[in-house]
């Protein structure tokens, strides 16, 4: 597969849509161009297609763009996804009570992950991952879970675009992801941030379709090797519990 596929117009269109925080925001084409790092002429061509499909609309007075009516139609189709998130959230809260450490639920887009739900420890010293803010996938436990489920072509694309930050050879990186897929979990032992450990496991829909990743994160001051191993066992157990309940709901629809 040609790695250039991942630089396609489709991905650039998603970058443009990601510029909008909500359906009330209007952005001018020059600002969009600056945000996505593309020439105005290229942005204009992509926006024309998005507008034609109803994904963006233009304010005829200000000439700025906003999310279109078709995005609302898509959002209405996501009710079941929100139900899945609600199911996972109750287990995230329970796991936080048991471990007394931060527990995160995350999704992935390309080479970035986003935490969509977090239960925080009562300790003052704790990780700080703002919700809905992107973080690099290659050095986070949840990110490695998602990357391990991607095709090798996609994994190579991630490596090529983050090689300096990854700090290992491509083969070492691919081997790390193959191991995470085989083991059913991924670890981040101070790869994302010095003094921070994380272990993550996948949450599946039916048919082995990856939906979320679940993680426990804690500073090394509280997560020694024994605590790290216990966190690994717990995150695997709870990821399986969440997957089972989500799949039982999925199959009823």
């Amino acid at each position: 597969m040609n790695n250039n596929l991942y630089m396609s117009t489709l991905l650039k269109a998603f970058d443009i849509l990601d510029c909008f925080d909500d359906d009330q925001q209007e952005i001018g084409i020059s600002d969009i161009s600056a945000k996505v790092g593309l020439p105005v002429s290229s942005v204009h061509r992509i926006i024309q297609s998005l507008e034609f499909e109803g994904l963006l609309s233009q304010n005829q007075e200000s000439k700025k763009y906003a999310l279109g009516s078709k995005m609302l139609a898509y959002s209405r189709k996501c009710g079941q996804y929100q139900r899945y998130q609600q199911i996972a959230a109750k287990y995230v809260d329970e796991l936080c009570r048991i471990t007394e450490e931060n527990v995160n639920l995350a999704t992935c887009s390309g080479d970035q992950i986003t935490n969509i739900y977090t239960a925080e420890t009562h300790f003052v010293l704790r990780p700080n991952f703002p919700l809905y803010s992107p973080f690099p996938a290659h050095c986070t436990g949840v990110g490695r879970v998602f990357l391990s489920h991607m095709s090798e072509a996609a994994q190579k694309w991630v490596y090529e675009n983050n090689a300096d930050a990854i700090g290992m050879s491509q083969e070492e990186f691919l081997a790390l992801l193959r191991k995470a897929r085989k083991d059913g979990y991924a670890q981040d032992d101070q790869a994302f941030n010095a003094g921070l450990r994380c272990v993550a496991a996948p949450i599946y829909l039916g048919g082995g379709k990856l939906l979320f990743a679940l993680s426990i994160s804690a500073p090394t001051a509280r997560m020694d090797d024994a605590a790290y191993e216990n966190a690994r066992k717990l995150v695997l157990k709870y990821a399986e519990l969440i997957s089972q309940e989500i799949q039982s709901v999925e199959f009823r629809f």
Side-chain angles (χ1 to χ4, degrees):
M1 183 181 293
N2 188 340
N3 287 350
N4 289 332
L5 171 65
Y6 297 95
M7 295 300 291
S8 68
T9 300
L10 178 60
L11 291 184
K12 294 173 184 177
F14 283 133
D15 287 340
I16 290 173
L17 292 173
D18 281 341
C19 292
F20 297 88
D21 294 329
D22 54 51
D23 59 357
Q24 301 299 312
Q25 184 180 18
E26 293 187 349
I27 310 177
I29 194 167
S30 296
D31 291 332
I32 294 174
S33 172
K35 284 176 178 286
V36 300
L38 290 172
V40 169
S41 57
S42 298
V43 170
H44 185 256
R45 284 195 299 270
I46 297 171
I47 283 179
Q48 283 182 314
S49 297
L50 293 172
E51 189 176 13
F52 177 78
E53 289 295 328
L55 297 172
L56 290 180
S57 62
Q58 187 181 41
N59 183 320
Q60 294 301 312
E61 294 183 359
S62 68
K63 301 303 180 183
K64 293 183 177 181
Y65 290 88
L67 294 176
S69 59
K70 199 166 188 177
M71 292 299 295
L72 177 60
Y74 284 146
S75 70
R76 288 172 177 163
K77 296 180 180 180
C78 294
Q80 193 61 22
Y81 176 87
Q82 293 172 353
R83 172 63 177 147
Y84 297 152
Q85 185 175 331
Q86 290 169 356
I87 290 171
K90 66 181 182 182
Y91 288 99
V92 170
D93 291 339
E94 181 178 328
L95 188 53
C96 179
R97 288 193 295 271
I98 292 171
T99 62
E100 297 187 307
E101 298 295 354
N102 272 31
V103 180
N104 306 296
L105 188 71
T107 60
C108 184
S109 176
D111 59 355
Q112 295 184 321
I113 61 98
T114 302
N115 287 327
I116 58 174
Y117 187 82
T118 297
E120 290 193 329
T121 177
H122 60 83
F123 292 111
V124 174
L125 180 61
R126 60 176 182 261
N128 179 26
F129 297 118
L131 293 180
Y132 304 108
S133 295
F135 293 96
H138 63 81
C139 60
T140 56
V142 290
R144 289 172 176 178
V145 164
F146 281 104
L147 296 180
S148 73
H149 285 69
M150 292 182 179
S151 68
E152 186 172 302
Q155 292 171 352
K156 288 180 178 179
W157 178 85
V158 171
Y159 180 84
E160 291 165 3
N161 283 271
N162 299 276
D164 290 342
I166 289 173
M168 63 181 78
S169 71
Q170 178 175 278
E171 184 48 45
E172 288 172 327
F173 181 63
L174 295 180
L176 181 150
L177 297 182
R178 286 194 294 269
K179 184 177 188 304
R181 180 66 181 267
K182 179 182 177 182
D183 293 343
Y185 68 90
Q187 291 178 303
D188 154 23
D189 191 355
Q190 305 186 73
F192 176 71
N193 195 62
L196 182 66
R197 277 179 155 178
C198 171
V199 58
I203 294 170
Y204 295 107
L205 286 169
K209 293 178 288 186
L210 184 58
L211 178 63
F212 302 127
L214 177 73
S215 72
I216 301 173
S217 302
T220 54
R222 292 196 302 273
M223 190 174 276
D224 58 14
D225 289 347
Y228 205 17
E229 173 61 14
N230 187 53
R232 183 189 69 83
K233 293 177 180 178
L234 284 170
V235 82
L236 281 168
K237 175 184 176 181
Y238 273 77
E240 177 62 21
L241 289 172
I242 296 169
S243 296
Q244 288 176 356
E245 184 167 346
I246 284 175
Q247 288 168 28
S248 71
V249 170
E250 178 190 14
F251 293 138
R252 289 203 296 268
F253 288 85

